[in-house]
Amino acid sequence: MSHTTIDEADIDQDFRRYLAARATSVTGSLVATVALPVLVYQLTGSPGWTSAIAVAEALPYLLFGLIAGAVADRADRRALMLIADFGGAALLATIPVAWAFGVLTAPHVLVVGFCVQTLFVIFDSANFGALPTLVGKQRLTAAYSKVYAATTLAELAIPPLTGLLVAIVSPAPLIAVNVVTALASGLLVRSIVRPLSTPKDTADRRTTTSILADIRTGLAFLARHRVVRALTLVGTTHSVASGAYVAMLVPWADRVLGVPPSGDWRIAVLFSGWGVGGLLASRIVPRLNQRYGGARLALGALPVSLLCGCAVLLSTHWIAAALSATAWGAAYSTVVINAITYRQQISPDELQSRINTTCRMLSWGIGMPTGAALAGAVAMSGASPRTGIAAGVLVLLLGVIAAWFSPLRKES
């Protein structure tokens, strides 16, 4: 009895370190997300260069996701996470240093952004397998919900605060915040006592298989597991809808709701609604998952998400829009948390990183930019921003229909 109690206490303490590392890391990343585009624009005065930083940060997941997942399944996950944290800190530190010496250029910022995001792909791949190993699959949904809540809180608070700071000081010195948080995250990960990977399995895989063979194994699992395949497909359509909403939020608020993008506090309310919904989802998903199971919860949450998206489309007043967006954020986050934890619960430990990195690459990595591009193309054709959001919601409708005719129904 006492031995079990000690183990549980160790798990809780290590999870708190892990949770602090993730919240700290995300906080710094959000500072850079706001500061880097502003910095590039200040250096160049060019919208083209400014948009290039977003492209540079989006490419690594698509380029290296499959390889990173295979590497993370055969290597020591803690070591990869430390390399990513400490390496990212070193790269980011070059920006404020170059700025201080007056030699900072836009290409320098773009290269750092690309390399740091590449390191994030490595970190993320290792992280997918680290959490199930740390807390066990029985506690996974509750643990991931806490991580989701902590990172969502950061997403609510840090961007507006950083936006205020870049209006007062140069964005280059603010990158030092991300340097400090990356170092802190690395030290917290290093302090975790319990293993984050299975030593025997990783040693066996290093000697018996190639990277390409590992990638093929992960893709084969995804291809033959009908529920994971269905959740990934639906996740992609879901991400398309959210990408369209995010891309059109500012013009939609301005032209449809009469909320200008600057100088009006109501725009902050509209931006924060999605995050508030995510916090609500992080509290209710563990109970819903325990009661209904992953497949049934997905089937129920998807139509709710679709209805909330339609409510956003029909909103003509900012209060109704904010409430609808909050509800949509809750339904959307329910689908996301449920899908990720389901995959981690059914994936073998030796395939955790490959399966989850591939699924995120297909859903978020492809869905979000596709939705943004779709909404932008619709809006550029002369249609209302509302029509751009509607295009994403239509894709979500197709995903809901596909889900209800997929193996998810049999699993529920």
Side-chain angles (χ1 to χ4, degrees), residues 213-225 229 351 355:
D214 284 352
I215 292 174
R216 286 195 295 268
T217 302
L219 291 174
F221 180 93
L222 178 60
R224 69 172 178 266
H225 199 291
R229 192 172 66 240
L351 296 178
I355 293 169

Side-chain angles (χ1 to χ4, degrees), residues 26-396:
V26 168
T27 296
S29 297
L30 289 168
V31 171
T33 298
V34 176
L36 288 182
V38 176
L39 178 59
V40 171
Y41 189 75
Q42 287 184 354
L43 290 170
T44 65
S46 166
W49 272 102
T50 306
S51 64
I53 187 67
V55 175
E57 292 181 322
L59 279 176
Y61 226 109
L62 293 176
L63 293 177
F64 308 122
L66 289 175
I67 297 174
V71 170
D73 274 333
R74 65 166 47 212
D76 183 272
R77 291 171 183 145
R78 188 197 311 270
L80 290 179
M81 295 165 79
L82 293 178
I83 289 171
D85 274 335
F86 293 144
L91 287 168
L92 288 163
T94 66
I95 291 179
V97 170
W99 174 82
F101 283 95
V103 295
L104 185 62
T105 63
H108 180 167
V109 178
L110 291 181
V111 170
V112 169
F114 179 84
C115 293
V116 169
Q117 194 64 17
T118 299
L119 289 173
F120 167 75
V121 175
I122 295 172
F123 183 100
D124 207 35
S125 300
N127 177 58
F128 272 126
L131 183 58
T133 304
L134 178 64
V135 303
K137 294 186 177 181
Q138 292 292 334
R139 297 161 46 123
L140 184 57
T141 301
Y144 184 76
S145 295
K146 290 179 180 178
V147 175
Y148 195 91
T151 55
T152 301
L153 273 174
E155 290 168 358
L156 282 171
I158 300 304
L161 178 60
T162 306
L164 176 63
L165 289 175
V166 297
I168 301 172
V169 301
S170 172
L174 285 178
I175 301 302
V177 174
N178 201 356
V179 176
V180 173
T181 56
L183 291 173
S185 173
L187 292 174
L188 285 165
V189 170
R190 188 180 178 185
S191 71
I192 295 173
V193 177
R194 296 178 65 84
L196 301 179
S197 53
T198 307
K200 180 179 182 301
D201 289 343
T202 54
D204 290 344
R205 289 193 294 279
R206 279 198 295 268
T207 57
T208 60
T209 61
S210 67
I211 290 290
L212 288 178
D214 284 352
I215 292 174
R216 286 195 295 268
T217 302
L219 291 174
F221 180 93
L222 178 60
R224 69 172 178 266
H225 199 291
R226 298 183 301 168
V227 174
V228 174
R229 192 172 66 240
L231 287 173
T232 303
L233 171 63
V234 171
T236 303
T237 64
H238 217 220
S239 293
V240 169
S242 65
Y245 172 73
V246 170
M248 291 292 103
L249 176 56
V250 171
W252 170 66
D254 184 27
R255 300 182 187 180
V256 177
L257 304 177
V259 178
S262 61
D264 194 317
W265 59 270
R266 293 176 297 174
I267 192 69
V269 175
L270 292 171
F271 267 110
S272 64
W274 193 273
V276 172
L279 287 176
L280 294 173
S282 70
R283 298 298 300 272
I284 64 174
V285 168
R287 283 174 287 181
L288 293 175
N289 182 276
Q290 186 176 17
R291 181 171 181 176
Y292 298 109
R296 184 179 296 180
L297 179 56
L299 287 175
L302 281 165
V304 173
S305 181
L306 176 63
L307 291 174
C308 292
C310 293
V312 167
L313 285 175
L314 295 174
S315 299
T316 57
H317 191 277
W318 72 271
I319 294 179
L323 293 174
S324 299
T326 301
W328 196 8
Y332 174 87
S333 298
T334 297
V335 174
V336 171
I337 296 172
N338 180 62
I340 291 175
T341 55
Y342 177 86
R343 287 199 308 264
Q344 290 178 316
Q345 286 169 339
I346 59 92
S347 297
D349 181 69
E350 67 274 10
L351 296 178
Q352 284 282 359
S353 296
R354 274 170 283 179
I355 293 169
N356 287 285
T357 303
T358 300
C359 290
R360 174 170 287 190
M361 183 184 68
L362 293 174
S363 56
W364 179 79
I366 293 177
M368 286 289 287
T370 298
L374 173 63
V378 171
M380 288 177 64
S381 67
S384 164
R386 176 185 281 169
T387 308
I389 299 175
V393 173
L394 179 60
V395 175
L396 175 57

